[in-house]
């Protein structure tokens, strides 16, 4: 079976959805703009440098939604999709996904952003299969800010894909896998698949891809 794996942020969409969601919640008055912006920028810098503490970040990134509750957060996310995400989805990204789907490939988005933020984005892109950071839920059914299970971040993406495969009775030996990603944080999974594609790559990943002769795809270049 051919497996087409895609990172999400800066790979299929030209924004970081978690960062953008945080900025959106600030814009509607859920967080202090100065304090939140400073912390959000700091976490994002650590992400780009490959030094992010994913558990600390998820606790921070979900704080506003946790405090607002499920109903308000779901309604806000629908507006976030309408005003922030959908306008930046590019036809070229939809076309790339469509090519794999029409070829009969199994398409899966594998992202280090949590499922609350990314499930609607995956569906908007026409992708049903999503591996994202799963959030723990409390007795009321709302998120606690903690991660449930292995986060799909860095080497954890390999573990989560392996779990996804095993659940379907498959292993790595049963698939021919392609993985598209922009980030040095995804180097482990890029090295695992048969067909790594450095997509809109950051400087460190571009250098590695060039050195190793990997395909480089600048999806959003005009």
């Amino acid at each position: 079976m051919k497996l087409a794996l895609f990172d999400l942020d800066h790979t299929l969409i030209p924004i970081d959805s978690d960062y953008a969601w945080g900025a959106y919640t600030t814009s509607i008055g859920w967080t202090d703009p100065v304090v939140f912006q400073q912390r959000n920028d700091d976490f994002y810098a650590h992400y780009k440098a490959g030094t992010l503490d994913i558990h600390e970040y998820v606790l921070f990134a979900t704080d506003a939604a946790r405090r607002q509750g499920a109903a308000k957060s779901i309604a806000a996310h629908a507006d976030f999709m309408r005003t922030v995400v959908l306008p930046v989805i590019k036809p070229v990204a939809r076309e790339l996904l469509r090519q794999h789907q029409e070829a009969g490939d199994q398409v899966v988005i594998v992202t280090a952003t949590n499922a609350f933020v990314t499930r609607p984005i995956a569906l908007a892109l026409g992708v049903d299969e999503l591996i994202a950071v799963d959030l723990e839920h409390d007795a009321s059914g709302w998120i606690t800010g903690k991660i449930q299970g292995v986060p799909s971040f860095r080497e954890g993406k390999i573990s989560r894909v392996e779990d996804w495969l095993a659940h379907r009775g498959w292993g790595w030996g049963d698939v021919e896998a392609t993985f598209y990603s922009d980030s040095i944080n995804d180097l482990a999974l890029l090295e695992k698949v048969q067909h790594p594609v450095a997509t809109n790559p950051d400087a460190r990943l571009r250098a590695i891809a060039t050195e190793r002769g990997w395909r480089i795809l600048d999806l959003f270049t005009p």
Side-chain angles (χ1 to χ4, degrees):
M1 185 192 72
K2 289 189 175 181
L3 185 64
L5 305 172
F6 290 85
D7 179 46
L8 178 63
D9 299 328
H10 294 297
T11 299
L12 285 173
I13 56 175
I15 61 171
D16 183 288
S17 58
D18 223 356
Y19 185 94
W21 167 247
Y24 173 84
T25 60
T26 294
S27 74
I28 60 175
W30 286 9
T31 58
D32 178 275
V34 175
V35 174
F36 185 89
Q37 185 72 41
Q38 183 176 0
R39 292 202 68 199
N40 207 25
D41 286 347
D42 185 52
F43 278 118
Y44 189 49
H46 278 288
Y47 173 77
K48 290 191 293 184
T51 58
L52 180 68
D53 182 327
I54 189 67
H55 294 274
E56 184 182 2
Y57 174 68
V58 167
L59 189 64
F60 161 77
T62 58
D63 179 66
R66 291 200 317 274
R67 288 186 286 104
Q68 294 295 326
K72 289 182 67 175
S73 296
I74 291 168
H77 194 282
D79 186 66
F80 168 71
M81 287 292 299
R82 181 180 62 83
T83 61
V84 178
V85 177
L86 293 180
V88 302
I89 294 178
K90 307 294 186 183
V92 66
R94 293 188 185 276
E95 175 63 17
L96 177 60
L97 291 166
R98 187 191 62 78
Q99 288 174 4
H100 279 283
Q101 290 165 333
E102 290 189 351
D105 301 346
Q106 176 62 68
V107 174
V108 185
I109 291 175
V110 189
T111 176
T113 300
N114 72 73
F116 172 76
V117 171
T118 57
R119 174 70 64 184
I121 302 175
L123 293 176
L125 288 166
V127 179
D128 294 328
E129 295 294 334
L130 172 71
I131 298 172
V133 170
D134 291 326
L135 299 174
E136 178 186 87
H137 290 72
D138 61 21
S140 74
W142 190 228
I143 57 176
T144 67
K146 296 181 179 179
I147 294 172
Q148 180 179 345
V150 176
S152 46
F153 179 60
R154 296 179 65 87
E155 291 79 4
K157 285 195 175 183
I158 295 177
S159 298
R160 291 291 305 281
V161 173
E162 287 174 348
D163 290 344
W164 184 92
L165 289 169
H167 183 69
R168 291 154 179 78
W170 300 325
W172 285 110
D174 301 309
V175 297
E176 180 181 344
T178 301
F179 179 41
Y180 296 81
S181 178
D182 72 292
S183 176
I184 191 67
N185 286 290
D186 287 336
L187 182 60
L189 185 52
L190 286 162
E191 292 175 332
K192 182 71 175 178
V193 302
Q194 292 97 331
H195 307 293
V197 184
T199 309
N200 319 311
D202 60 35
R204 293 167 66 190
L205 180 57
R206 186 179 292 274
I208 290 171
T210 300
E211 179 183 343
R212 299 184 185 182
W214 291 352
R215 181 184 172 198
I216 298 174
L217 176 62
D218 290 303
L219 199 61
F220 302 135
T221 300

